[in-house]
Amino acid sequence: MPPVISIVGRSKSGKTTLIEGLLAELKARGYRMATVKHASGKLAVDRPGKDSWRHIAAGSEATIVASPTQTIFIKPTSRDPELDELVHLFGEEYHIVLAEGFKQSSVPKIEVHRKEAGPPLADIRGLIAIATDEHLDTETRQFALHDIKGLADFLESGFIKPQKRSK
């Protein structure tokens, strides 16, 4: 399995923007990445009346919708899936998986913190770094919010390259 790093933070702190920057930087370095986004409500991908919705309504326990440009896997669940279950669906073809959210998971985490959003999150297990717009009194490694290259270096040396060497 590829290494998984979760990007966590308060709403509107810049998690998606940070992930976009890391994806662009790591892709430029030749890495293949995948992402997982946690959503708290029902997703609007599979709408009533669409064929995939009809397949599930008729009794299929999972379905895949495929086109020349994308593939979507749909599996109704009765609980919030664990991050490792979701990452398992990707297989082995990626160098790293960046997750957005999943604060309670056991994977290493980078918190995105903005001063105006309030204090940093409390009791985050596995916090390895903080991307922030202010200096925080913590021993956790800190990066400026705009230091995408520094964060990419950190992920590359600490997670991607060790994983590649162990294969």
Side-chain angles (χ1 to χ4, degrees):
M1 292 276 279
V4 180
I5 304 296
S6 188
I7 308 301
V8 300
R10 298 191 185 283
S11 180
K12 305 292 184 196
S13 61
K15 297 180 296 293
T16 302
T17 301
L18 182 71
I19 288 173
E20 289 172 327
L22 287 170
L23 289 169
E25 179 64 28
L26 291 168
K27 185 173 182 71
R29 296 179 188 197
Y31 295 114
R32 293 177 47 102
M33 293 135 317
T35 59
V36 180
K37 166 75 171 108
H38 186 262
S40 57
K42 183 169 175 19
L43 301 177
V45 174
D46 192 35
R47 297 185 316 265
K50 297 304 253 175
D51 291 348
S52 56
W53 181 88
R54 291 174 61 191
H55 292 182
I56 297 292
S60 177
E61 293 186 27
T63 190
I64 293 176
V65 179
S67 76
T69 59
Q70 63 185 177
T71 301
I72 301 169
F73 176 76
I74 302 167
K75 179 181 176 185
T77 58
S78 59
R79 60 175 176 74
D80 207 1
E82 296 291 328
L83 180 56
D84 62 338
E85 293 174 82
L86 300 170
V87 171
H88 182 75
L89 296 172
F90 287 132
E92 298 289 330
E93 64 185 277
Y94 303 98
H95 293 106
I96 192 167
V97 174
L98 299 177
E100 184 173 337
F102 299 94
K103 288 185 275 197
Q104 304 308 317
S105 74
S106 61
V107 304
K109 295 170 194 70
I110 297 172
E111 180 176 353
V112 179
H113 166 73
R114 289 187 185 275
K115 184 177 182 175
E116 71 263 11
L121 298 172
D123 301 323
I124 298 297
R125 270 185 316 146
L127 188 64
I128 58 170
I130 302 173
T132 180
D133 62 355
E134 67 173 333
H135 176 75
L136 299 169
D137 186 24
T138 179
E139 292 183 19
T140 303
R141 180 123 183 232
Q142 294 178 50
F143 293 86
L145 280 173
H146 61 275
D147 187 9
I148 298 298
K149 287 188 185 318
L151 275 163
D153 289 345
F154 177 69
L155 293 176
E156 184 177 42
S157 65
F159 297 92
I160 298 171
K161 284 186 176 177
Q163 179 74 10
K164 284 177 74 175
R165 282 193 292 269
S166 70
K167 287 186 175 182

